[in-house]
Amino acid sequence: MAEPLRIALAGLGTVGAGVIRLLETNAALIARRAGRQIEIVAVSARERGKDRGVDIARYAWDDDMTAMAARPEVDVVVELVGGSDGPALTLARNAIRSGKALVTANKAMIAHHGVELAAAAEGAGVALKFEAAVAGGIPVIKGLREGAAANAILRVYGILNGTCNYILSTMEDTGRDFADVLAEAQAKGFAEADPAFDIDGVDAAHKLAILASIAFGSRIDFAPIAPVGIRRVLAADIAQADSLGYRIRLLGMAETETGSDGQCRLFQRVHPHLVPLDHPLANVDGATNAVVAEGNFSGRLLFQGAGAGDGPTASAVVADLIDIARALNAPGGFGSEIAAPFSIPVAELEAMPPAEAGHRVGRAYIRFVVADRPGVLAEITAAMRDAGVSIESLIQKGRSDAGQDVPVLVALVTHDGPEACIAEALRLLDGSTSLVEPPLVMHILEE
Ligand SMILES: NC(=O)c1ccc[n+]([C@@H]2O[C@H](COP(=O)([O-])OP(=O)(O)OC[C@H]3O[C@@H](n4cnc5c(N)ncnc54)[C@H](OP(=O)(O)O)[C@@H]3O)[C@@H](O)[C@H]2O)c1
């Protein structure tokens, strides 16, 4: 058998410890499939003495993880620390500069610096792989880069954050409110102590930016996404959506469109959506992730599975290592693996300007919390009419004997129409004393 593939492992948390366990448990089958052993030679984390449930005594220890790249015996640096910048980025740059392959699960770093790192990797002739960065254990990058490589991708979208999906599907099952379910998710370890990145859609936006680049051959463009998360979704919205034949899911969605100037633009959105009950994504529950890619010849492809957790994420990291080991077996070494981390070489990635959402046409659910007094409904419907929004259905909930001080919920579903008209209607209502809080708009997923 060929020389082992020697790796340095930075980060021994959930994913890092999972990688050690997986490499130990499946060592023999991995060696057969990879054509060589995959051997950890050095590890690093913040605290050497911490009990991690795995034996790290037999590996060399580096106090300074950014120095691991300088180890001459190492072929691949595996970065499982996290953070878009800081030591993770320094290590990644050092590794590539030193001619090491880099494997990472760090979506924040790839979303912000992926183009720079891929250009450096292509220049240095080393592999850069990040399957675990998008949807954890689901081989969606491989699916797009390899399985769907023959297709023009028309649209890619999906449930990219397990924490949000767990919260929404638990709200759906129990009728409980967001804050209550979030607290329970934190207690059970499904949500971080600081959940902002997840529930405000930033984590999903990182993953979407990476997926879009691979799907459309565009340069990663995270900055314009402006994600909207699930904080403002009420149990009443979920009940309302259900009665209309939908489930609420936080979706990341990307597609390209050609502007009136003939230029190709990139549309990327992370936002809660109403998903028709008969769509496969409506039945993705709990912490599961799912990605849909629509290919012009393959049709709809659905990738579904665990988007996080030590086992699934380690599975994706080690699959990348196996790819690198296999590529080394080929004449010329890393050859096939360096070709293009984003499917096509960085120099050929297209810099697509962001699409303007106002040009988009679709249906939407708009929910208002309003003072319970005469004339409020008329005020809302007049604003819709004046802005050119056509209402398909309107529901008013909560009106009771409780008195005029108790706000009520008004929800409406629009007919197909330009999003710009909805924005205009909301502008007309801005500042209205009838509205107790800003309206919540959720787009309806069209097949
Ligand atoms: N968890 C998942 O399910 C999952 C899924 C997909 C992708 N990811 C990505 O995988 C990466 C790792 O996630 P994780 O959940 O495994 O994180 P984690 O459990 O918090 O582990 C992070 C590890 O990095 C080490 N570390 C942090 N700062 C360091 C520093 N300045 N110098 C040296 N070591 C440092 C920590 O050391 P100590 O242990 O000594 O504190 C810890 O071992 C992140 O990029 C994350 O986005 C995670």
Side-chain angles (χ1 to χ4, degrees):
M1 196 175 269
E3 285 279 291
L5 184 78
R6 296 186 180 88
I7 70 170
L9 185 56
L12 300 170
T14 305
V15 186
V19 165
I20 294 177
R21 266 192 297 278
L22 197 166
L23 286 173
E24 279 173 8
T25 308
N26 289 353
L29 80 83
I30 288 169
R32 279 210 311 281
R33 289 179 184 162
R36 60 184 73 220
Q37 311 270 352
I38 296 181
E39 196 178 290
I40 299 172
V41 295
V43 296
S44 179
R46 254 180 316 224
E47 205 185 307
R48 188 170 186 175
K50 197 190 242 182
D51 179 11
R52 303 170 187 281
V54 288
D55 177 18
I56 57 164
R58 60 211 150 109
Y59 311 128
W61 174 270
D62 281 319
D63 281 325
D64 174 9
M65 69 158 182
T66 63
M68 296 182 107
R71 285 183 166 272
E73 74 280 25
V74 165
D75 302 305
V76 187
V77 170
V78 181
E79 184 277 310
L80 302 172
V81 172
S84 59
D85 295 80
L89 181 60
T90 306
L91 174 64
R93 286 174 172 153
N94 288 357
I96 292 167
R97 207 176 292 133
S98 311
K100 317 288 187 198
L102 179 74
V103 172
T104 178
N106 190 336
K107 50 236 164 183
M109 180 176 78
I110 296 297
H112 286 277
H113 304 288
V115 171
E116 172 212 315
L117 294 174
E122 287 172 14
V126 297
L128 164 64
K129 298 190 71 72
F130 42 83
E131 181 65 66
V134 179
I138 308 173
V140 63
I141 292 182
K142 209 180 249 298
L144 287 174
R145 252 185 115 226
E146 298 175 23
N151 289 264
I153 301 296
L154 309 173
R155 185 162 72 146
V156 63
Y157 61 98
I159 295 170
L160 298 172
N161 185 272
T163 304
C164 288
N165 210 57
Y166 172 84
I167 292 173
L168 290 173
S169 54
T170 306
M171 287 170 72
E172 198 170 276
D173 291 345
T174 62
R176 284 154 58 205
D177 260 318
F178 171 78
D180 189 22
V181 177
L182 171 63
E184 181 190 271
Q186 286 172 311
K188 286 186 174 172
F190 290 130
E192 304 282 337
D194 176 4
F197 252 45
D198 289 320
I199 63 178
D200 293 331
V202 180
D203 175 77
H206 286 148
K207 296 169 188 169
L208 181 70
I210 299 170
L211 272 183
S213 174
I214 292 167
F216 305 119
S218 51
R219 285 174 80 90
I220 290 193
D221 199 8
F222 169 73
I225 296 181
V228 174
I230 62 166
R231 270 183 209 270
R232 298 193 56 226
V233 176
L234 302 173
D237 291 316
I238 290 178
Q240 238 25 298
D242 185 59
S243 69
L244 293 162
Y246 299 97
R247 297 239 161 87
I248 297 177
R249 294 287 179 266
L250 182 74
L251 299 186
M253 177 173 303
E255 60 190 320
T256 55
E257 60 186 50
T258 307
S260 49
D261 54 0
Q263 190 167 20
C264 190
R265 292 175 184 271
L266 180 62
F267 172 77
Q268 302 178 95
R269 169 180 276 161
V270 171
H271 208 285
H273 280 69
L274 266 62
V275 177
L277 281 173
D278 61 357
H279 189 285
L281 294 188
N283 296 306
V284 174
D285 293 326
T288 305
N289 283 194
V291 177
V292 174
E294 294 168 356
N296 65 340
F297 275 70
S298 64
R300 181 199 275 172
L301 301 168
L302 172 65
F303 303 86
Q304 182 172 347
D310 57 343
T313 312
S315 158
V317 170
V318 176
D320 280 348
L321 291 170
I322 292 173
D323 276 350
I324 292 170
R326 285 172 171 163
L328 271 181
N329 298 337
F334 281 140
S336 62
E337 277 309 305
I338 60 165
F342 290 99
S343 278
I344 59 174
V346 167
E348 292 169 31
L349 292 175
E350 208 176 327
M352 292 184 196
E356 287 168 33
H359 296 157
R360 294 179 67 79
V361 171
R363 294 161 67 229
Y365 165 99
I366 311 173
R367 184 260 293 154
F368 302 87
V369 180
V370 299
D372 188 6
R373 62 177 185 232
V376 174
L377 267 189
E379 187 183 345
I380 291 173
T381 51
M384 295 293 151
R385 181 200 59 218
D386 293 349
V389 178
S390 164
I391 298 174
E392 180 185 295
S393 56
L394 187 144
I395 310 161
Q396 182 177 13
K397 272 279 159 74
R399 182 174 275 276
S400 69
D401 299 333
Q404 294 206 347
D405 293 341
V406 179
V408 296
L409 204 127
V410 173
L412 59 84
V413 172
T414 69
H415 280 297
D416 243 5
E419 292 186 11
C421 294
I422 294 177
E424 172 60 10
L426 300 192
R427 195 191 62 75
L428 294 175
L429 288 166
D430 193 24
S432 161
T433 55
S434 304
L435 304 193
V436 172
E437 59 176 78
L440 175 69
V441 179
M442 292 192 266
H443 304 282
I444 297 179
L445 177 67
E446 305 296 345
E447 292 283 325

mmCIF file with all atom_site columns, all heavy atoms in Angstrom, residues 368-391:
data_model
loop_
_atom_site.group_PDB
_atom_site.id
_atom_site.type_symbol
_atom_site.label_atom_id
_atom_site.label_alt_id
_atom_site.label_comp_id
_atom_site.label_asym_id
_atom_site.label_entity_id
_atom_site.label_seq_id
_atom_site.pdbx_PDB_ins_code
_atom_site.Cartn_x
_atom_site.Cartn_y
_atom_site.Cartn_z
_atom_site.occupancy
_atom_site.B_iso_or_equiv
_atom_site.pdbx_formal_charge
_atom_site.auth_seq_id
_atom_site.auth_comp_id
_atom_site.auth_asym_id
_atom_site.auth_atom_id
_atom_site.pdbx_PDB_model_num
ATOM 1   N N   . PHE A 1 368 ? -50.003 41.155 9.791  1.00 0.00 ? 368 PHE A N   1
ATOM 2   C CA  . PHE A 1 368 ? -50.013 42.407 10.557 1.00 0.00 ? 368 PHE A CA  1
ATOM 3   C C   . PHE A 1 368 ? -50.506 42.103 11.970 1.00 0.00 ? 368 PHE A C   1
ATOM 4   O O   . PHE A 1 368 ? -51.400 41.283 12.146 1.00 0.00 ? 368 PHE A O   1
ATOM 5   C CB  . PHE A 1 368 ? -50.996 43.407 9.942  1.00 0.00 ? 368 PHE A CB  1
ATOM 6   C CG  . PHE A 1 368 ? -50.699 43.741 8.501  1.00 0.00 ? 368 PHE A CG  1
ATOM 7   C CD1 . PHE A 1 368 ? -51.211 42.941 7.475  1.00 0.00 ? 368 PHE A CD1 1
ATOM 8   C CD2 . PHE A 1 368 ? -49.926 44.839 8.167  1.00 0.00 ? 368 PHE A CD2 1
ATOM 9   C CE1 . PHE A 1 368 ? -50.947 43.242 6.152  1.00 0.00 ? 368 PHE A CE1 1
ATOM 10  C CE2 . PHE A 1 368 ? -49.664 45.146 6.843  1.00 0.00 ? 368 PHE A CE2 1
ATOM 11  C CZ  . PHE A 1 368 ? -50.176 44.349 5.831  1.00 0.00 ? 368 PHE A CZ  1
ATOM 12  N N   . VAL A 1 369 ? -49.929 42.775 12.946 1.00 0.00 ? 369 VAL A N   1
ATOM 13  C CA  . VAL A 1 369 ? -50.525 42.781 14.285 1.00 0.00 ? 369 VAL A CA  1
ATOM 14  C C   . VAL A 1 369 ? -51.055 44.194 14.457 1.00 0.00 ? 369 VAL A C   1
ATOM 15  O O   . VAL A 1 369 ? -50.294 45.170 14.370 1.00 0.00 ? 369 VAL A O   1
ATOM 16  C CB  . VAL A 1 369 ? -49.483 42.439 15.368 1.00 0.00 ? 369 VAL A CB  1
ATOM 17  C CG1 . VAL A 1 369 ? -50.143 42.461 16.742 1.00 0.00 ? 369 VAL A CG1 1
ATOM 18  C CG2 . VAL A 1 369 ? -48.852 41.079 15.108 1.00 0.00 ? 369 VAL A CG2 1
ATOM 19  N N   . VAL A 1 370 ? -52.372 44.302 14.643 1.00 0.00 ? 370 VAL A N   1
ATOM 20  C CA  . VAL A 1 370 ? -53.008 45.627 14.588 1.00 0.00 ? 370 VAL A CA  1
ATOM 21  C C   . VAL A 1 370 ? -53.873 45.896 15.820 1.00 0.00 ? 370 VAL A C   1
ATOM 22  O O   . VAL A 1 370 ? -54.298 44.965 16.521 1.00 0.00 ? 370 VAL A O   1
ATOM 23  C CB  . VAL A 1 370 ? -53.901 45.757 13.320 1.00 0.00 ? 370 VAL A CB  1
ATOM 24  C CG1 . VAL A 1 370 ? -53.075 45.594 12.062 1.00 0.00 ? 370 VAL A CG1 1
ATOM 25  C CG2 . VAL A 1 370 ? -55.049 44.761 13.338 1.00 0.00 ? 370 VAL A CG2 1
ATOM 26  N N   . ALA A 1 371 ? -54.117 47.159 16.044 1.00 0.00 ? 371 ALA A N   1
ATOM 27  C CA  . ALA A 1 371 ? -55.054 47.549 17.101 1.00 0.00 ? 371 ALA A CA  1
ATOM 28  C C   . ALA A 1 371 ? -56.461 47.110 16.683 1.00 0.00 ? 371 ALA A C   1
ATOM 29  O O   . ALA A 1 371 ? -56.823 47.221 15.508 1.00 0.00 ? 371 ALA A O   1
ATOM 30  C CB  . ALA A 1 371 ? -55.007 49.061 17.267 1.00 0.00 ? 371 ALA A CB  1
ATOM 31  N N   . ASP A 1 372 ? -57.223 46.602 17.644 1.00 0.00 ? 372 ASP A N   1
ATOM 32  C CA  . ASP A 1 372 ? -58.561 46.094 17.335 1.00 0.00 ? 372 ASP A CA  1
ATOM 33  C C   . ASP A 1 372 ? -59.549 47.255 17.343 1.00 0.00 ? 372 ASP A C   1
ATOM 34  O O   . ASP A 1 372 ? -60.203 47.538 18.347 1.00 0.00 ? 372 ASP A O   1
ATOM 35  C CB  . ASP A 1 372 ? -58.939 45.029 18.378 1.00 0.00 ? 372 ASP A CB  1
ATOM 36  C CG  . ASP A 1 372 ? -60.229 44.332 18.007 1.00 0.00 ? 372 ASP A CG  1
ATOM 37  O OD1 . ASP A 1 372 ? -60.749 44.603 16.906 1.00 0.00 ? 372 ASP A OD1 1
ATOM 38  O OD2 . ASP A 1 372 ? -60.719 43.534 18.816 1.00 0.00 ? 372 ASP A OD2 1
ATOM 39  N N   . ARG A 1 373 ? -59.600 47.963 16.220 1.00 0.00 ? 373 ARG A N   1
ATOM 40  C CA  . ARG A 1 373 ? -60.548 49.094 16.161 1.00 0.00 ? 373 ARG A CA  1
ATOM 41  C C   . ARG A 1 373 ? -61.084 49.246 14.740 1.00 0.00 ? 373 ARG A C   1
ATOM 42  O O   . ARG A 1 373 ? -60.443 48.765 13.778 1.00 0.00 ? 373 ARG A O   1
ATOM 43  C CB  . ARG A 1 373 ? -59.874 50.371 16.657 1.00 0.00 ? 373 ARG A CB  1
ATOM 44  C CG  . ARG A 1 373 ? -58.691 50.802 15.843 1.00 0.00 ? 373 ARG A CG  1
ATOM 45  C CD  . ARG A 1 373 ? -58.135 52.129 16.379 1.00 0.00 ? 373 ARG A CD  1
ATOM 46  N NE  . ARG A 1 373 ? -57.075 52.585 15.519 1.00 0.00 ? 373 ARG A NE  1
ATOM 47  C CZ  . ARG A 1 373 ? -55.871 52.928 15.938 1.00 0.00 ? 373 ARG A CZ  1
ATOM 48  N NH1 . ARG A 1 373 ? -55.550 52.865 17.204 1.00 0.00 ? 373 ARG A NH1 1
ATOM 49  N NH2 . ARG A 1 373 ? -54.960 53.347 15.085 1.00 0.00 ? 373 ARG A NH2 1
ATOM 50  N N   . PRO A 1 374 ? -62.196 49.868 14.606 1.00 0.00 ? 374 PRO A N   1
ATOM 51  C CA  . PRO A 1 374 ? -62.812 49.953 13.280 1.00 0.00 ? 374 PRO A CA  1
ATOM 52  C C   . PRO A 1 374 ? -61.890 50.678 12.299 1.00 0.00 ? 374 PRO A C   1
ATOM 53  O O   . PRO A 1 374 ? -61.144 51.580 12.678 1.00 0.00 ? 374 PRO A O   1
ATOM 54  C CB  . PRO A 1 374 ? -64.088 50.774 13.523 1.00 0.00 ? 374 PRO A CB  1
ATOM 55  C CG  . PRO A 1 374 ? -64.316 50.751 15.000 1.00 0.00 ? 374 PRO A CG  1
ATOM 56  C CD  . PRO A 1 374 ? -63.004 50.529 15.653 1.00 0.00 ? 374 PRO A CD  1
ATOM 57  N N   . GLY A 1 375 ? -61.947 50.285 11.044 1.00 0.00 ? 375 GLY A N   1
ATOM 58  C CA  . GLY A 1 375 ? -61.222 50.995 9.994  1.00 0.00 ? 375 GLY A CA  1
ATOM 59  C C   . GLY A 1 375 ? -59.838 50.450 9.693  1.00 0.00 ? 375 GLY A C   1
ATOM 60  O O   . GLY A 1 375 ? -59.223 50.820 8.702  1.00 0.00 ? 375 GLY A O   1
ATOM 61  N N   . VAL A 1 376 ? -59.323 49.572 10.556 1.00 0.00 ? 376 VAL A N   1
ATOM 62  C CA  . VAL A 1 376 ? -57.950 49.088 10.356 1.00 0.00 ? 376 VAL A CA  1
ATOM 63  C C   . VAL A 1 376 ? -57.844 48.223 9.095  1.00 0.00 ? 376 VAL A C   1
ATOM 64  O O   . VAL A 1 376 ? -56.945 48.390 8.276  1.00 0.00 ? 376 VAL A O   1
ATOM 65  C CB  . VAL A 1 376 ? -57.450 48.310 11.596 1.00 0.00 ? 376 VAL A CB  1
ATOM 66  C CG1 . VAL A 1 376 ? -56.090 47.703 11.317 1.00 0.00 ? 376 VAL A CG1 1
ATOM 67  C CG2 . VAL A 1 376 ? -57.384 49.229 12.796 1.00 0.00 ? 376 VAL A CG2 1
ATOM 68  N N   . LEU A 1 377 ? -58.817 47.324 8.954  1.00 0.00 ? 377 LEU A N   1
ATOM 69  C CA  . LEU A 1 377 ? -58.798 46.457 7.764  1.00 0.00 ? 377 LEU A CA  1
ATOM 70  C C   . LEU A 1 377 ? -58.879 47.294 6.491  1.00 0.00 ? 377 LEU A C   1
ATOM 71  O O   . LEU A 1 377 ? -58.165 47.048 5.507  1.00 0.00 ? 377 LEU A O   1
ATOM 72  C CB  . LEU A 1 377 ? -59.985 45.501 7.791  1.00 0.00 ? 377 LEU A CB  1
ATOM 73  C CG  . LEU A 1 377 ? -59.771 44.137 8.418  1.00 0.00 ? 377 LEU A CG  1
ATOM 74  C CD1 . LEU A 1 377 ? -60.985 43.256 8.157  1.00 0.00 ? 377 LEU A CD1 1
ATOM 75  C CD2 . LEU A 1 377 ? -58.522 43.480 7.862  1.00 0.00 ? 377 LEU A CD2 1
ATOM 76  N N   . ALA A 1 378 ? -59.744 48.303 6.534  1.00 0.00 ? 378 ALA A N   1
ATOM 77  C CA  . ALA A 1 378 ? -59.913 49.164 5.359  1.00 0.00 ? 378 ALA A CA  1
ATOM 78  C C   . ALA A 1 378 ? -58.612 49.891 5.043  1.00 0.00 ? 378 ALA A C   1
ATOM 79  O O   . ALA A 1 378 ? -58.224 50.039 3.876  1.00 0.00 ? 378 ALA A O   1
ATOM 80  C CB  . ALA A 1 378 ? -61.028 50.169 5.622  1.00 0.00 ? 378 ALA A CB  1
ATOM 81  N N   . GLU A 1 379 ? -57.881 50.292 6.088  1.00 0.00 ? 379 GLU A N   1
ATOM 82  C CA  . GLU A 1 379 ? -56.617 50.998 5.894  1.00 0.00 ? 379 GLU A CA  1
ATOM 83  C C   . GLU A 1 379 ? -55.591 50.078 5.194  1.00 0.00 ? 379 GLU A C   1
ATOM 84  O O   . GLU A 1 379 ? -54.895 50.486 4.260  1.00 0.00 ? 379 GLU A O   1
ATOM 85  C CB  . GLU A 1 379 ? -56.098 51.443 7.273  1.00 0.00 ? 379 GLU A CB  1
ATOM 86  C CG  . GLU A 1 379 ? -54.887 52.336 7.206  1.00 0.00 ? 379 GLU A CG  1
ATOM 87  C CD  . GLU A 1 379 ? -54.364 52.689 8.603  1.00 0.00 ? 379 GLU A CD  1
ATOM 88  O OE1 . GLU A 1 379 ? -55.092 52.491 9.610  1.00 0.00 ? 379 GLU A OE1 1
ATOM 89  O OE2 . GLU A 1 379 ? -53.216 53.146 8.677  1.00 0.00 ? 379 GLU A OE2 1
ATOM 90  N N   . ILE A 1 380 ? -55.547 48.828 5.659  1.00 0.00 ? 380 ILE A N   1
ATOM 91  C CA  . ILE A 1 380 ? -54.588 47.874 5.067  1.00 0.00 ? 380 ILE A CA  1
ATOM 92  C C   . ILE A 1 380 ? -54.968 47.581 3.619  1.00 0.00 ? 380 ILE A C   1
ATOM 93  O O   . ILE A 1 380 ? -54.124 47.629 2.715  1.00 0.00 ? 380 ILE A O   1
ATOM 94  C CB  . ILE A 1 380 ? -54.552 46.559 5.901  1.00 0.00 ? 380 ILE A CB  1
ATOM 95  C CG1 . ILE A 1 380 ? -53.915 46.831 7.267  1.00 0.00 ? 380 ILE A CG1 1
ATOM 96  C CG2 . ILE A 1 380 ? -53.795 45.463 5.158  1.00 0.00 ? 380 ILE A CG2 1
ATOM 97  C CD1 . ILE A 1 380 ? -53.971 45.658 8.231  1.00 0.00 ? 380 ILE A CD1 1
ATOM 98  N N   . THR A 1 381 ? -56.230 47.294 3.381  1.00 0.00 ? 381 THR A N   1
ATOM 99  C CA  . THR A 1 381 ? -56.629 46.923 2.020  1.00 0.00 ? 381 THR A CA  1
ATOM 100 C C   . THR A 1 381 ? -56.486 48.111 1.062  1.00 0.00 ? 381 THR A C   1
ATOM 101 O O   . THR A 1 381 ? -56.140 47.947 -0.102 1.00 0.00 ? 381 THR A O   1
ATOM 102 C CB  . THR A 1 381 ? -58.063 46.336 1.978  1.00 0.00 ? 381 THR A CB  1
ATOM 103 O OG1 . THR A 1 381 ? -58.927 47.241 2.653  1.00 0.00 ? 381 THR A OG1 1
ATOM 104 C CG2 . THR A 1 381 ? -58.136 44.990 2.647  1.00 0.00 ? 381 THR A CG2 1
ATOM 105 N N   . ALA A 1 382 ? -56.691 49.328 1.591  1.00 0.00 ? 382 ALA A N   1
ATOM 106 C CA  . ALA A 1 382 ? -56.520 50.511 0.730  1.00 0.00 ? 382 ALA A CA  1
ATOM 107 C C   . ALA A 1 382 ? -55.049 50.656 0.321  1.00 0.00 ? 382 ALA A C   1
ATOM 108 O O   . ALA A 1 382 ? -54.730 50.959 -0.838 1.00 0.00 ? 382 ALA A O   1
ATOM 109 C CB  . ALA A 1 382 ? -56.998 51.758 1.462  1.00 0.00 ? 382 ALA A CB  1
ATOM 110 N N   . ALA A 1 383 ? -54.134 50.408 1.261  1.00 0.00 ? 383 ALA A N   1
ATOM 111 C CA  . ALA A 1 383 ? -52.702 50.519 0.945  1.00 0.00 ? 383 ALA A CA  1
ATOM 112 C C   . ALA A 1 383 ? -52.322 49.477 -0.109 1.00 0.00 ? 383 ALA A C   1
ATOM 113 O O   . ALA A 1 383 ? -51.560 49.759 -1.045 1.00 0.00 ? 383 ALA A O   1
ATOM 114 C CB  . ALA A 1 383 ? -51.867 50.328 2.214  1.00 0.00 ? 383 ALA A CB  1
ATOM 115 N N   . MET A 1 384 ? -52.893 48.288 0.034  1.00 0.00 ? 384 MET A N   1
ATOM 116 C CA  . MET A 1 384 ? -52.608 47.228 -0.939 1.00 0.00 ? 384 MET A CA  1
ATOM 117 C C   . MET A 1 384 ? -53.121 47.652 -2.331 1.00 0.00 ? 384 MET A C   1
ATOM 118 O O   . MET A 1 384 ? -52.417 47.536 -3.330 1.00 0.00 ? 384 MET A O   1
ATOM 119 C CB  . MET A 1 384 ? -53.281 45.905 -0.523 1.00 0.00 ? 384 MET A CB  1
ATOM 120 C CG  . MET A 1 384 ? -52.755 45.321 0.768  1.00 0.00 ? 384 MET A CG  1
ATOM 121 S SD  . MET A 1 384 ? -51.045 44.763 0.602  1.00 0.00 ? 384 MET A SD  1
ATOM 122 C CE  . MET A 1 384 ? -50.464 44.998 2.277  1.00 0.00 ? 384 MET A CE  1
ATOM 123 N N   . ARG A 1 385 ? -54.337 48.141 -2.339 1.00 0.00 ? 385 ARG A N   1
ATOM 124 C CA  . ARG A 1 385 ? -54.944 48.571 -3.617 1.00 0.00 ? 385 ARG A CA  1
ATOM 125 C C   . ARG A 1 385 ? -54.095 49.685 -4.255 1.00 0.00 ? 385 ARG A C   1
ATOM 126 O O   . ARG A 1 385 ? -53.731 49.623 -5.424 1.00 0.00 ? 385 ARG A O   1
ATOM 127 C CB  . ARG A 1 385 ? -56.367 49.063 -3.348 1.00 0.00 ? 385 ARG A CB  1
ATOM 128 C CG  . ARG A 1 385 ? -57.125 49.509 -4.596 1.00 0.00 ? 385 ARG A CG  1
ATOM 129 C CD  . ARG A 1 385 ? -58.288 50.422 -4.208 1.00 0.00 ? 385 ARG A CD  1
ATOM 130 N NE  . ARG A 1 385 ? -57.801 51.596 -3.498 1.00 0.00 ? 385 ARG A NE  1
ATOM 131 C CZ  . ARG A 1 385 ? -58.411 52.181 -2.452 1.00 0.00 ? 385 ARG A CZ  1
ATOM 132 N NH1 . ARG A 1 385 ? -59.534 51.701 -1.979 1.00 0.00 ? 385 ARG A NH1 1
ATOM 133 N NH2 . ARG A 1 385 ? -57.899 53.251 -1.866 1.00 0.00 ? 385 ARG A NH2 1
ATOM 134 N N   . ASP A 1 386 ? -53.739 50.683 -3.454 1.00 0.00 ? 386 ASP A N   1
ATOM 135 C CA  . ASP A 1 386 ? -53.001 51.830 -3.995 1.00 0.00 ? 386 ASP A CA  1
ATOM 136 C C   . ASP A 1 386 ? -51.619 51.428 -4.520 1.00 0.00 ? 386 ASP A C   1
ATOM 137 O O   . ASP A 1 386 ? -51.073 52.063 -5.419 1.00 0.00 ? 386 ASP A O   1
ATOM 138 C CB  . ASP A 1 386 ? -52.846 52.922 -2.924 1.00 0.00 ? 386 ASP A CB  1
ATOM 139 C CG  . ASP A 1 386 ? -54.201 53.526 -2.565 1.00 0.00 ? 386 ASP A CG  1
ATOM 140 O OD1 . ASP A 1 386 ? -55.178 53.243 -3.288 1.00 0.00 ? 386 ASP A OD1 1
ATOM 141 O OD2 . ASP A 1 386 ? -54.274 54.249 -1.543 1.00 0.00 ? 386 ASP A OD2 1
ATOM 142 N N   . ALA A 1 387 ? -51.055 50.369 -3.910 1.00 0.00 ? 387 ALA A N   1
ATOM 143 C CA  . ALA A 1 387 ? -49.715 49.934 -4.351 1.00 0.00 ? 387 ALA A CA  1
ATOM 144 C C   . ALA A 1 387 ? -49.807 48.896 -5.465 1.00 0.00 ? 387 ALA A C   1
ATOM 145 O O   . ALA A 1 387 ? -48.782 48.430 -5.966 1.00 0.00 ? 387 ALA A O   1
ATOM 146 C CB  . ALA A 1 387 ? -48.945 49.363 -3.160 1.00 0.00 ? 387 ALA A CB  1
ATOM 147 N N   . GLY A 1 388 ? -51.019 48.496 -5.814 1.00 0.00 ? 388 GLY A N   1
ATOM 148 C CA  . GLY A 1 388 ? -51.173 47.517 -6.905 1.00 0.00 ? 388 GLY A CA  1
ATOM 149 C C   . GLY A 1 388 ? -50.997 46.079 -6.453 1.00 0.00 ? 388 GLY A C   1
ATOM 150 O O   . GLY A 1 388 ? -50.683 45.202 -7.250 1.00 0.00 ? 388 GLY A O   1
ATOM 151 N N   . VAL A 1 389 ? -51.214 45.816 -5.152 1.00 0.00 ? 389 VAL A N   1
ATOM 152 C CA  . VAL A 1 389 ? -51.120 44.434 -4.654 1.00 0.00 ? 389 VAL A CA  1
ATOM 153 C C   . VAL A 1 389 ? -52.513 43.830 -4.669 1.00 0.00 ? 389 VAL A C   1
ATOM 154 O O   . VAL A 1 389 ? -53.445 44.388 -4.076 1.00 0.00 ? 389 VAL A O   1
ATOM 155 C CB  . VAL A 1 389 ? -50.563 44.382 -3.207 1.00 0.00 ? 389 VAL A CB  1
ATOM 156 C CG1 . VAL A 1 389 ? -50.526 42.944 -2.698 1.00 0.00 ? 389 VAL A CG1 1
ATOM 157 C CG2 . VAL A 1 389 ? -49.184 45.011 -3.143 1.00 0.00 ? 389 VAL A CG2 1
ATOM 158 N N   . SER A 1 390 ? -52.640 42.685 -5.315 1.00 0.00 ? 390 SER A N   1
ATOM 159 C CA  . SER A 1 390 ? -53.946 42.040 -5.405 1.00 0.00 ? 390 SER A CA  1
ATOM 160 C C   . SER A 1 390 ? -54.043 40.964 -4.319 1.00 0.00 ? 390 SER A C   1
ATOM 161 O O   . SER A 1 390 ? -53.162 40.112 -4.187 1.00 0.00 ? 390 SER A O   1
ATOM 162 C CB  . SER A 1 390 ? -54.073 41.464 -6.821 1.00 0.00 ? 390 SER A CB  1
ATOM 163 O OG  . SER A 1 390 ? -55.096 40.542 -6.869 1.00 0.00 ? 390 SER A OG  1
ATOM 164 N N   . ILE A 1 391 ? -55.130 41.040 -3.534 1.00 0.00 ? 391 ILE A N   1
ATOM 165 C CA  . ILE A 1 391 ? -55.263 40.132 -2.377 1.00 0.00 ? 391 ILE A CA  1
ATOM 166 C C   . ILE A 1 391 ? -56.052 38.892 -2.781 1.00 0.00 ? 391 ILE A C   1
ATOM 167 O O   . ILE A 1 391 ? -57.152 38.991 -3.323 1.00 0.00 ? 391 ILE A O   1
ATOM 168 C CB  . ILE A 1 391 ? -55.972 40.852 -1.209 1.00 0.00 ? 391 ILE A CB  1
ATOM 169 C CG1 . ILE A 1 391 ? -55.122 42.052 -0.749 1.00 0.00 ? 391 ILE A CG1 1
ATOM 170 C CG2 . ILE A 1 391 ? -56.210 39.898 -0.053 1.00 0.00 ? 391 ILE A CG2 1
ATOM 171 C CD1 . ILE A 1 391 ? -55.801 42.917 0.304  1.00 0.00 ? 391 ILE A CD1 1
#
